[in-house]
């Protein structure tokens, strides 16, 4: 038996517009969450009309154009875009799933862990399942409970609650029943769910991006909560039917932030938004001469008691942690370990109440990072989340939060969120230094002012975009690219290599330049592009000299050197086959400028190779499975 589970984007709507249009638009904005298949269901006069198709949303749209949309007339409906983790993403495994009578439709995000037992139970009762998914079991179970709920004077919401109490694992469900055509029910355990409150219309979705063009007023659903939406409003209960407290919020960005705004792809737009992302992340965090965090449930005394820091994160967020280590150790004299969240809890890390775990996550829902947070809290460590998504699960489960205000990041490869994470991690370092007294107030103020100057410096780097894009086109046929750096340039090299791997499907490796001679130099051959991230010749003269020697060694062996160096760095010029200059900034802040050309390079190489820059194969924006 193949288990198919989904990370996915889900959307539901009840209102006065044609549900199909609203749902398809919502799916377009959620497609970054997964693009293995898509499907819609609309409550019509004839019951439930469903269409679903493997592949991207465009396939579903083509199918709808083929069958015609007349049979989809209706003002309530739901949709799904899926990222499969196991098994084939084929039509019959696509959502929505229905029960045998076709009167119940369900879309699902997550994993129903006890689905084998539920499936066996259904099969023993004579139910034939039409797909290999765990999700379909929910449709049959809800259909079965619906009759009983009706007899008790309840309805769909009660049936869904009964089933949710039986489901194990992480799941978010959106459910409709043909007998209750003006109602959509949604339930949440773990995977995110927000309700959008419009005028005579209500939405549910995994992300506000799905309904931002209609309303910015939203309500976040908590764990084990269920919401009933109608065109007139919503009601939230727990899985036992008790009214539950809700947390309304207003989204602080608008539709234009979630649209390409004339750019060829989202990633390029997001690269260009980096100055703003940095400025927004810093804004409001230096008040009356002190660095302040957002949701501070840790006292200054708690911060003073910290004797060790862990940064846990995945992918690019992990690289932001590697950068932060240099600053936090330097400013606080505390030992900082940076660890991949997926490794952290499996190796019994030494944690106690004086350990501060900084969990960095753009989405706030990455399963590995969330589990690391839970593990840390079980061991009594304090957890501070650095997150780009308001109210996501990781900040909800943390002791303190610092939000990066990068705005929605639609391109699957992280860019502006990464830069914002670096800035936010630095604020954490400064908050620690300030509480512990390892930096005087005027030093903290100076560091903050230097950070505040960074949006301008990044804007200057963006002036090189077209040149870097041209270089990307030249390098598009390369077999592999290596990236070298030292000190804070090393995580930048790792980030450059990750961008190239995920976008251009090209072999790319980042190395600490000093390690080259211990093995990787054997990879150098005639014409191999090697990108070198140079430190400042003034700020880090010794390291600079060492890197110049490293470059000359690889150039002597035939490499084509692409050098990212500070403006006016004349020493490196003779060793650079291609030179990309970035403004001079303090050493610790260099990653904020030197990463930018590497993002552009990877995106352009991918584009030149004919790949979808915003939706690289096999990936999804939020990885909510371990
Ligand atoms: C790479 C990328 C990923 C994410 C990683 C963590 O471009 O985007 O490596 O950085 O999956 O995601 P978050 O930050 O949402 O926890």
């Amino acid at each position: 038996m193949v288990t198919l589970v989904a990370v996915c984007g889900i959307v539901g709507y009840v209102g006065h517009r044609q549900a199909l249009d609203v749902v398809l638009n919502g799916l377009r904005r959620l497609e970054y969450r997964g693009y293995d298949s898509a499907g819609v269901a609309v409550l019509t006069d004839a019951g439930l009309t469903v269409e679903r198709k493997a592949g991207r949303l465009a396939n579903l749209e083509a199918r709808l154009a083929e069958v015609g949309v007349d049979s989809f007339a209706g003002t309530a409906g739901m949709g799904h875009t899926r990222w499969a983790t196991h098994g084939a993403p084929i039509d019959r495994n696509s959502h929505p799933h229905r029960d045998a009578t076709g009167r119940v439709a369900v879309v699902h995000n997550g994993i129903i862990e006890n689905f084998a037992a539920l499936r066996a139970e259904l099969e023993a009762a004579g139910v034939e399942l039409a797909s290999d998914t765990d999700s379909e079991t929910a449709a049959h179970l809800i259909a079965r409970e619906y009759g009983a709920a009706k007899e008790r004077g309840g309805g769909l919401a009660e049936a869904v609650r009964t089933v949710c109490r039986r489901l194990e694992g992480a799941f978010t469900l959106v459910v409709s029943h043909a007998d209750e055509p003006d109602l959509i029910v949604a339930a949440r355990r773990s995977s995110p769910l927000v309700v959008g409150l419009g005028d005579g219309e209500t939405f549910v979705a995994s992300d506000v991006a799905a309904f931002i063009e209609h309303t910015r007023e939203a309500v976040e659903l908590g764990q084990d909560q269920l919401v009933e939406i109608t065109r007139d409003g919503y009601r939230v209960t727990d899985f036992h039917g008790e009214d539950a407290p809700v947390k309304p919020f207003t989204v602080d960005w608008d539709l234009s932030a979630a649209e390409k705004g004339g750019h060829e792809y989202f990633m390029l737009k997001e690269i260009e938004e980096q100055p703003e992302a940095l400025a927004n992340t810093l804004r409001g965090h230096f008040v009356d001469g002190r660095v302040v965090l957002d949701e501070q449930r840790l006292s200054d005394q708690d911060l003073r008691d910290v004797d060790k820091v862990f940064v846990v994160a995945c992918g690019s967020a992990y690289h932001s942690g590697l950068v932060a280590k240099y600053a936090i150790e330097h400013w606080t004299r505390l030992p900082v370990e940076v660890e991949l969240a997926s490794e952290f809890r499996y190796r019994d890390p030494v944690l106690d109440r004086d350990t501060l775990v900084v969990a960095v996550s753009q989405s706030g829902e990455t399963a590995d990072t969330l589990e690391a947070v839970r593990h840390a809290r079980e061991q009594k460590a304090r957890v501070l989340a650095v997150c780009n998504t308001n109210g996501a699960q990781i900040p909800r489960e943390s002791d303190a939060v610092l939000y990066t205000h990068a705005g929605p990041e639609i391109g699957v490869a992280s860019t502006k969120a990464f830069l914002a994470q670096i800035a936010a991690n630095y604020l954490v370092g400064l908050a620690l230094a300030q509480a512990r007294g390892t930096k005087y107030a005027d030093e903290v103020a100076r560091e903050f002012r230097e950070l505040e100057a960074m949006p301008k410096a990044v804007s200057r780097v963006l002036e090189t975009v077209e040149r870097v894009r041209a270089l990307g086109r030249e390098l598009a046929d390369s077999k592999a690219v290596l990236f070298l750096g030292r000190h804070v340039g090393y995580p930048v090299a790792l980030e450059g290599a990750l961008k190239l791997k995920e976008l251009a499907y090209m072999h790319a490796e980042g190395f600490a330049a000093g390690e080259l001679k211990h093995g990787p130099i054997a990879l150098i051959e005639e014409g191999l592009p090697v990108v070198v991230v140079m430190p400042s010749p003034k700020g880090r003269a010794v390291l600079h000299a060492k890197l110049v020697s490293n470059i000359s060694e690889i150039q002597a062996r035939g490499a084509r050197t692409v050098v990212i160096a500070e403006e006016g760095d004349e020493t490196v010029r003779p060793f650079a086959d291609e030179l990309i200059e970035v403004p001079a900034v303090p050493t610790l802040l260099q990653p904020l400028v030197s990463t930018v050309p590497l993002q552009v390079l990877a995106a352009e190489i991918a584009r030149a190779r004919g790949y979808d820059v915003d939706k690289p194969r096999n990936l999804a924006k939020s990885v909510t499975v371990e």
Side-chain angles (χ1 to χ4, degrees):
M1 175 84 48
V2 183
T3 310
L4 285 145
V5 292
V7 174
C8 323
I10 58 185
V11 56
Y13 174 75
V14 189
H16 48 79
R17 302 169 212 261
Q18 285 303 312
L20 183 66
D21 298 340
V22 177
V23 166
L24 283 174
N25 255 333
L27 291 181
R28 260 172 229 127
R29 296 194 207 295
L30 293 182
E31 212 187 358
Y32 70 88
R33 299 180 68 86
Y35 28 87
D36 288 331
S37 71
V40 288
V42 175
L43 287 146
T44 68
D45 290 344
L48 271 162
T49 312
V50 174
E51 195 59 68
R52 42 205 201 144
K53 200 76 200 140
R56 299 205 166 184
L57 184 58
N59 294 4
L60 174 70
E61 288 172 312
R63 173 82 190 135
L64 287 168
E66 225 173 272
V67 297
V69 295
D70 294 351
S71 56
F72 286 86
T75 55
M78 63 171 80
H80 187 265
T81 176
R82 169 168 178 259
W83 185 69
T85 51
H86 308 282
I90 50 177
D91 287 356
R92 78 186 159 88
N93 289 329
S94 310
H95 302 221
H97 292 286
R98 276 164 295 179
D99 74 314
T101 66
R103 302 205 53 84
V104 173
V106 170
V107 297
H108 167 224
N109 174 7
I111 308 170
I112 298 172
E113 282 170 0
N114 58 334
F115 104 99
L118 297 172
R119 191 177 174 107
E121 175 187 318
L122 287 164
E123 281 171 348
V127 176
E128 273 182 40
L129 286 103
S131 75
D132 310 318
T133 66
D134 54 343
S135 316
E136 190 193 343
T137 55
H140 294 285
L141 290 170
I142 292 165
R144 212 169 61 177
E145 289 300 333
Y146 187 69
K150 280 298 252 195
E151 275 168 27
R152 291 193 298 270
L156 182 61
E158 191 179 323
V160 176
R161 277 194 285 265
T162 309
V163 171
C164 284
R165 292 199 296 271
R166 295 198 59 200
L167 301 182
E168 288 166 19
F171 55 84
T172 296
L173 299 170
V174 178
V175 189
S176 60
H177 196 298
D179 290 358
E180 298 186 38
D182 298 319
L183 172 73
I184 296 277
V185 173
R188 172 193 183 188
R189 173 173 293 160
S190 232
S191 310
L193 189 67
V194 279
V195 179
L197 310 173
D199 192 6
E201 55 187 354
T202 315
F203 310 77
V204 279
S206 16
D207 182 337
V208 292
F211 52 73
I212 193 71
E213 67 192 273
H214 305 295
T215 180
R216 288 162 68 176
E217 300 310 316
V219 170
E220 176 195 320
L221 238 67
Q223 279 286 56
D224 284 12
Q225 289 185 350
L226 174 143
V227 65
E228 296 158 70
I229 64 163
T230 63
R231 63 176 56 86
D232 302 322
Y234 69 99
R235 177 177 173 227
V236 179
T237 55
D238 63 18
F239 285 173
H240 295 277
E242 296 296 321
D243 282 324
V246 296
K247 214 171 143 190
F249 63 99
T250 304
V251 184
D252 62 2
W253 46 271
D254 60 16
L255 178 62
S256 63
E259 300 217 303
K260 282 189 204 152
H263 291 81
E264 206 177 321
Y265 41 87
F266 276 112
M267 186 174 161
L268 195 54
K269 170 178 176 256
E270 288 161 3
I271 288 171
E272 295 197 353
E273 285 170 350
Q274 293 186 109
E276 202 186 332
L278 282 176
N280 289 344
T281 298
L282 297 172
R283 185 165 298 126
H285 287 297
F286 194 65
V287 181
D288 297 334
R290 286 182 68 77
V291 170
V292 288
L293 306 180
D294 285 319
E295 290 174 25
Q296 174 85 37
R297 296 180 285 264
L298 291 177
S299 66
D300 263 12
Q301 187 57 48
D302 293 332
L303 296 182
R304 269 194 290 280
D305 289 343
V306 170
D307 62 11
K308 181 159 63 162
V309 178
F310 277 100
V311 183
V312 293
C314 304
S316 295
Y318 167 74
H319 296 155
S320 83
L322 291 177
V323 172
K325 177 181 166 83
Y326 293 87
I328 301 178
E329 287 190 338
H330 180 61
W331 291 336
T332 67
R333 309 313 298 147
L334 283 168
V336 179
E337 284 189 47
V338 188
E339 184 133 0
L340 292 167
S342 53
E343 291 293 321
F344 179 71
R345 78 187 169 117
Y346 296 107
R347 66 158 188 90
D348 199 14
V350 182
L351 300 164
D352 59 31
R353 62 176 62 254
D354 295 335
T355 313
L356 180 71
V357 173
V358 182
V360 186
S361 174
Q362 186 284 130
S363 61
E365 41 172 314
T366 298
D368 289 316
T369 312
L370 179 57
E371 289 306 328
V373 165
R374 289 177 176 160
H375 179 74
R377 294 203 70 199
E378 275 161 22
Q379 308 294 310
K380 306 278 179 283
R382 327 258 183 181
V383 177
L384 190 156
V386 171
C387 182
N388 197 41
T389 313
N390 209 296
Q393 201 59 25
I394 290 171
R396 285 169 75 96
E397 296 196 20
S398 300
D399 297 298
V401 188
L402 181 57
Y403 283 110
T404 48
H405 294 279
E409 195 176 63
I410 308 290
V412 163
S414 189
T415 52
K416 60 177 180 170
F418 173 70
L419 255 60
Q421 282 162 353
I422 294 178
N425 293 345
Y426 281 180
L427 291 181
V428 173
L430 290 177
L432 273 169
Q434 160 185 286
R436 303 169 61 77
T438 49
K439 276 215 168 282
Y440 292 117
D442 61 329
E443 291 171 314
V444 172
R446 197 185 57 229
E447 301 289 357
F448 190 84
R449 272 197 302 276
E450 283 176 347
L451 268 171
E452 273 188 320
M454 292 312 292
K456 215 162 165 189
V458 174
S459 298
R460 296 241 345 258
V461 185
L462 291 173
E463 290 166 15
T464 64
V465 163
E466 287 313 319
R467 261 200 54 226
V468 179
R469 288 184 80 177
L471 176 62
R473 290 190 287 278
E474 272 179 47
L475 298 182
D477 293 329
S478 310
K479 231 172 51 198
V481 180
L482 303 186
F483 293 77
L484 304 181
R486 280 177 184 259
H487 194 260
V488 287
Y490 169 44
V492 173
L494 295 178
E495 176 64 5
L498 176 61
K499 291 280 99 85
L500 196 56
K501 278 183 249 207
E502 66 180 325
L503 295 170
Y505 320 149
M506 196 186 261
H507 177 233
E509 294 254 15
F511 297 107
E515 269 297 291
L516 210 62
K517 55 190 174 298
H518 300 289
I521 199 162
L523 290 168
I524 307 289
E525 56 185 28
E526 195 59 37
L528 179 82
V530 180
V531 179
V532 187
V533 183
M534 289 300 291
S536 161
K538 299 185 277 299
R540 291 276 153 175
V542 176
L543 282 184
H544 183 272
K546 293 212 155 79
L547 251 174
V548 169
S549 320
N550 296 142
I551 306 181
S552 65
E553 284 155 21
I554 56 173
Q555 209 183 31
R557 287 165 177 80
R560 176 175 180 182
T561 58
V562 177
V563 177
I564 317 283
E566 190 173 292
E567 280 164 355
D569 181 350
E570 292 305 323
T571 355
V572 82
R573 199 173 279 277
F575 304 100
D577 295 318
E578 313 289 341
L579 183 67
I580 300 164
E581 290 185 304
V582 293
V585 298
T587 298
L588 286 171
L589 303 183
Q590 264 178 351
L592 296 172
V593 288
S594 50
T595 305
V596 179
L598 306 191
Q599 299 167 335
V600 177
L601 194 69
E604 191 59 22
I605 293 179
R607 203 195 58 83
R609 286 161 81 98
Y611 301 138
D612 185 336
V613 175
D614 289 329
K615 299 191 191 87
R617 71 182 177 203
N618 305 337
L619 291 171
K621 186 73 183 157
S622 308
V623 186
T624 58
V625 287
E626 277 188 79

